[in-house]
Amino acid sequence: MHFRTLFSLAASVLPFLPLAAAEPVQYCRNGAATNEIDFCMGLLMHRNVSSNSDDLYLSMSVTRPGLTSLGWTAIGLGEVMEGALMFIVYGDPMSSEQPIVSIRKSIGHKQPSLVTREDMNGADLRVMRADWHPSASDPKTAVAMISLVCYSCHLWPGTQVSATSKSQPFMWAWNSKQEFDVFTYDAHLKMHAHHAGAGGWGNFYVDMARSVNTWHSAPGFPPIVPGVHTIGTSESPGLSASYSIAWFKHDPVLHLHGLIMGVAFLLLFPVGVFAMRSGSTKAFKYHWIVQIVASGFTVAGFVLGLTIGRKVNTFHQILGITLVACLGVQSILGWRHHMVFLRIRRRTWLSHSHIWLGRAMIIGGWSNLITGLILRGYSRVSITVMGFAVGLEAVALTSWLVWIKVRAARAERTTKSNVEEHRNDTSKYFALGEDDDEDEDEASSSGTLQDEESRPMMEKSDKA
């Protein structure tokens, strides 16, 4: 009898286990006391059986110390502004008007514009509640309470919204000083502070799968738990294959453009410099092969970049076009330098132009990698990591070139007596000046010329 009772009880409880496992997630930044951004977000996903879609239910609170009407606060689905679905809150808590909840999107790092029904691509977003309430802890503080639902939110054509994601990217931003002439849904918004963190903007990541609700009927809006900073959320992304795939699928052309240019300027072009200065008898052959491949990558990245931006109106685009134009010039200079060097065995203005233009192009490419991240609104962490990688490579490459010179000088000192015997025969060939980056860069099919071109580094310091 007891067994039957327990079995019946278990059978009645089992259908509710998935619901018990699911819970709303929450993310808060409580900065009102230090004049920083102060908001909380609660979220749950509902599997709508009737429409066979995923609905997003979101609660949000925005704290306004001193009952101020200045500024705006926003959160958005997406890691960067491009493709994000943004919920922007502003208004005057002292008025009789409800807070404005402006739903916007953005193309690049520009002024967000209002989302239209056509923009939603079949999804349906509705603001169900927007009210001002006095703070329970401070009568001179107002709190905007927002509730909204995004039906079939996975259809949003921008950043991918997935109910199964373990690390769904969100962004937040704010401006604490803007004065509004009138509070309208399409009011012009002044930019947030440029730096990340409490001062301007940032990211957080949500475990959407944890919040999935499978009730047959629509759920209520998720409550915001006081005093809790995070529930199922994090300020760093989960390093998973699914997250990486979702990141790439969001805007594949943009990401492919960045990846190709990164490979070209962080890997291939520096490898070409390394090959030229390696001292190998095939140094010149390795150099031009690697540089041709690097140039191909650059042109491919450039073509992809043209499909992203319809107008050329940023420093990033202008510098990119300039770099591609320089590729042709650099190729001609390198070819002519090689042909002349084989004939007269000394450098000319062609040689120095080829060397210095190459250096300038690598530095320009490095700079454009960083400006590209800034242009697309990537997080400060991403930009810092790229800057660190560029700086590390610049220091490593420069240090290696200096070491090559030092090694050559030491070798020259140990063979000084032998060099003196051949000085008269080789003085013209070794009069290469201070720029000796390509002393081994010209190689004929003859092994003798290869040996000669790898020798000046050993003997240059004595000449000087």
Side-chain angles (χ1 to χ4, degrees):
M1 183 65 180
H2 291 294
F3 178 77
R4 288 183 177 179
T5 303
L6 291 174
F7 182 80
S8 300
L9 180 61
S12 63
V13 170
L14 282 174
F16 295 95
L17 287 180
L19 178 62
E23 64 172 330
V25 294
Q26 179 170 312
Y27 178 80
C28 296
R29 294 188 68 92
N30 306 117
T34 54
N35 295 319
E36 297 174 355
I37 188 171
D38 195 308
F39 76 91
C40 277
M41 179 212 73
L43 178 147
L44 66 80
M45 296 296 294
H46 172 62
R47 183 60 187 171
N48 193 325
V49 179
S50 61
S51 63
N52 192 31
S53 62
D54 299 308
D55 302 334
L56 184 151
Y57 286 76
L58 185 142
S59 300
M60 182 179 177
S61 66
V62 177
T63 302
R64 288 292 187 89
L67 305 176
T68 179
S69 61
L70 300 178
W72 50 265
T73 301
I75 64 173
L77 279 156
E79 193 167 26
V80 297
M81 290 182 65
E82 175 79 20
L85 179 60
M86 308 177 200
F87 316 122
I88 307 173
V89 180
Y90 48 91
D92 184 1
M94 296 294 289
S95 71
S96 59
E97 301 295 327
Q98 294 179 330
I100 296 291
V101 183
S102 183
I103 314 299
R104 304 197 186 195
K105 62 180 177 65
S106 178
I107 300 176
H109 202 69
K110 300 178 181 179
Q111 175 74 202
S113 58
L114 287 176
V115 169
T116 64
R117 183 174 296 276
E118 290 73 21
D119 293 330
M120 294 300 296
N121 192 41
D124 184 16
L125 200 153
R126 302 181 187 181
V127 178
M128 311 301 288
R129 176 191 181 190
D131 300 304
W132 292 110
H133 290 271
S135 170
S137 59
D138 184 357
K140 293 184 179 181
T141 296
V143 180
M145 300 299 298
I146 312 298
S147 298
L148 59 86
V149 58
C150 180
Y151 297 108
S152 302
C153 212
H154 62 284
L155 297 177
W156 169 248
T159 190
Q160 184 178 18
V161 181
S162 172
T164 61
S165 173
K166 292 287 185 178
S167 188
Q168 176 72 47
F170 275 74
M171 60 187 297
W172 61 263
W174 80 314
N175 178 302
S176 61
K177 299 179 180 180
Q178 179 176 352
E179 295 185 18
F180 289 86
D181 296 328
V182 59
F183 294 104
T184 58
Y185 288 96
D186 60 349
H188 178 81
L189 301 179
K190 292 185 178 179
M191 191 172 182
H192 56 76
H194 286 283
H195 54 286
W201 57 274
N203 293 106
F204 60 98
Y205 302 84
V206 175
D207 185 352
M208 304 286 272
R210 175 174 176 168
S211 72
V212 174
N213 180 305
T214 56
W215 278 104
H216 289 286
S217 58
F221 285 94
I224 293 176
V225 182
V228 178
H229 176 57
T230 63
I231 301 175
T233 59
S234 172
E235 292 184 349
S236 59
L239 299 179
S240 64
S242 59
Y243 173 77
S244 300
I245 292 172
W247 169 82
F248 188 83
K249 287 175 65 177
H250 159 54
D251 197 337
V253 175
L254 172 66
H255 296 312
L256 193 59
H257 165 76
L259 288 172
I260 288 175
M261 289 303 198
V263 170
F265 286 97
L266 285 177
L267 177 63
L268 295 178
F269 281 121
V271 167
V273 175
F274 175 84
M276 190 69 256
R277 300 281 284 142
S278 64
S280 168
T281 57
K282 296 182 179 181
F284 174 69
K285 179 180 179 180
Y286 295 150
H287 172 71
W288 71 258
I289 289 176
V290 173
Q291 299 302 70
I292 286 178
V293 174
S295 298
F297 269 69
T298 304
V299 172
F302 171 72
V303 172
L304 290 173
L306 291 178
T307 67
I308 298 171
R310 299 178 180 85
K311 297 181 180 179
V312 179
N313 55 5
T314 67
F315 174 79
H316 176 81
Q317 293 169 310
I318 294 172
L319 180 56
I321 293 172
T322 302
L323 289 172
V324 172
C326 287
L327 283 177
V329 177
Q330 181 71 341
S331 299
I332 295 173
L333 288 173
W335 172 66
R336 289 300 303 156
H337 158 60
H338 176 63
M339 299 305 293
V340 172
F341 192 89
L342 291 178
R343 182 164 47 86
I344 66 176
R345 297 187 181 182
R346 64 179 176 83
R347 286 185 176 165
T348 64
W349 67 270
L350 290 169
S351 311
H352 299 293
S353 298
H354 180 69
I355 293 170
W356 283 102
L357 181 58
R359 293 171 178 172
M361 287 179 64
I362 289 180
I363 295 174
W366 286 343
S367 301
N368 233 23
L369 292 175
I370 297 174
T371 60
L373 295 180
I374 296 174
L375 179 64
R376 287 300 171 181
Y378 276 82
S379 67
R380 189 178 185 183
V381 173
S382 301
I383 296 170
T384 301
V385 169
M386 178 59 72
F388 178 79
V390 167
L392 184 63
E393 183 165 58
V395 170
L397 190 59
T398 303
S399 299
W400 181 74
L401 292 174
V402 171
W403 177 74
I404 289 291
K405 290 185 178 182
V406 171
R407 187 183 64 174
R410 289 176 179 174
E412 183 276 332
R413 285 194 297 267
T414 62
T415 58
K416 184 175 182 180
S417 59
N418 293 331
V419 172
E420 289 292 334
E421 296 177 4
H422 299 284
R423 178 178 296 277
N424 293 334
D425 295 334
T426 59
S427 59
K428 290 184 178 181
Y429 172 67
F430 289 119
L432 301 180
E434 292 184 358
D435 288 338
D436 64 336
D437 293 274
E438 294 192 9
D439 285 343
E440 306 95 2
D441 72 340
E442 315 302 346
S444 68
S445 58
S446 160
T448 301
L449 183 55
Q450 295 283 2
D451 293 339
E452 288 180 353
E453 292 193 85
S454 64
R455 209 179 297 147
M457 292 187 299
M458 303 290 200
E459 305 178 2
K460 179 189 168 207
S461 61
D462 181 68
K463 257 178 67 227

